[in-house]
Amino acid sequence: MANDSYRVDLDRLDEVVKKLNNVLKDMQSASGKAKSGTHLPDGALGKGFEEERELRQTHGAMKDFIEQHVLNKLESLIDDLQKKTTRTHGAYQDQEQSTSNALKNGHSSSQNKYS
C-alpha cells in the first residue's frame, strides 16, 4: 500500500520533455522565418506613391513586435518549461532510486534532498 501513496510516471515526463524539445525546434524555425522570410525591400509594394514608405515602416514595426514580444517570449517560456520538466524528471528519478536502494538495504528513505 505504501507504493500507492505516490506514483510518478517517469516515461510520461520523459515524453513531455521530448515533445517540448520538438515544440522549441518548431518555434526556432518559425522565428527564423519571421526574421528572414518576411523582409519587405524597397519597391516591393510599388514606387512613386507616398504610402509605400509608411507601409514598409509599419511592416517593419509589426515584424519587430512579433519577433520580440511574441516569438522570443514564447520560445523563452517553452525553454523554461522544458528545463523545469527535465529537472523534475531527474528529481523523481533520483528519489525513486534512493527509495529502491533504501528498501533493498532495509533503511528508511527519509533523506530526501528535494524537500
Side-chain angles (χ1 to χ4, degrees), residues 45-46 48-58:
L45 300 172
F49 63 101
E50 62 185 73
E51 291 87 358
E52 189 267 340
R53 183 171 160 247
E54 184 181 347
L55 284 169
R56 275 190 306 103
Q57 287 176 338
T58 302

Side-chain angles (χ1 to χ4, degrees), residues 13-110:
L13 272 177
D14 193 41
E15 195 175 307
V16 169
V17 169
K18 288 177 184 177
K19 287 182 179 182
L20 287 170
N21 280 334
N22 288 336
V23 170
L24 192 56
K25 286 177 191 174
D26 289 345
M27 284 301 305
Q28 289 168 342
S29 174
S31 180
K33 288 178 185 175
K35 290 176 184 173
S36 63
T38 58
H39 177 67
L40 193 58
D42 287 342
L45 300 172
K47 293 183 179 185
F49 63 101
E50 62 185 73
E51 291 87 358
E52 189 267 340
R53 183 171 160 247
E54 184 181 347
L55 284 169
R56 275 190 306 103
Q57 287 176 338
T58 302
H59 174 268
M62 182 56 71
K63 180 179 180 246
D64 289 342
F65 177 82
I66 290 170
E67 288 174 16
Q68 299 301 315
H69 297 285
V70 178
L71 294 174
N72 287 351
K73 288 184 179 185
L74 197 52
E75 272 184 54
S76 178
L77 174 74
I78 293 167
D79 184 52
D80 185 51
L81 183 58
Q82 183 270 340
K83 287 176 182 172
K84 287 178 179 176
T85 304
T86 299
R87 283 194 302 269
T88 300
H89 179 275
Y92 276 114
Q93 196 170 36
D94 290 349
Q95 183 58 41
E96 196 172 87
Q97 184 64 43
S98 175
T99 301
S100 176
N101 289 342
L103 289 173
K104 286 179 187 175
N105 297 327
H107 297 103
S108 170
S109 64
S110 62

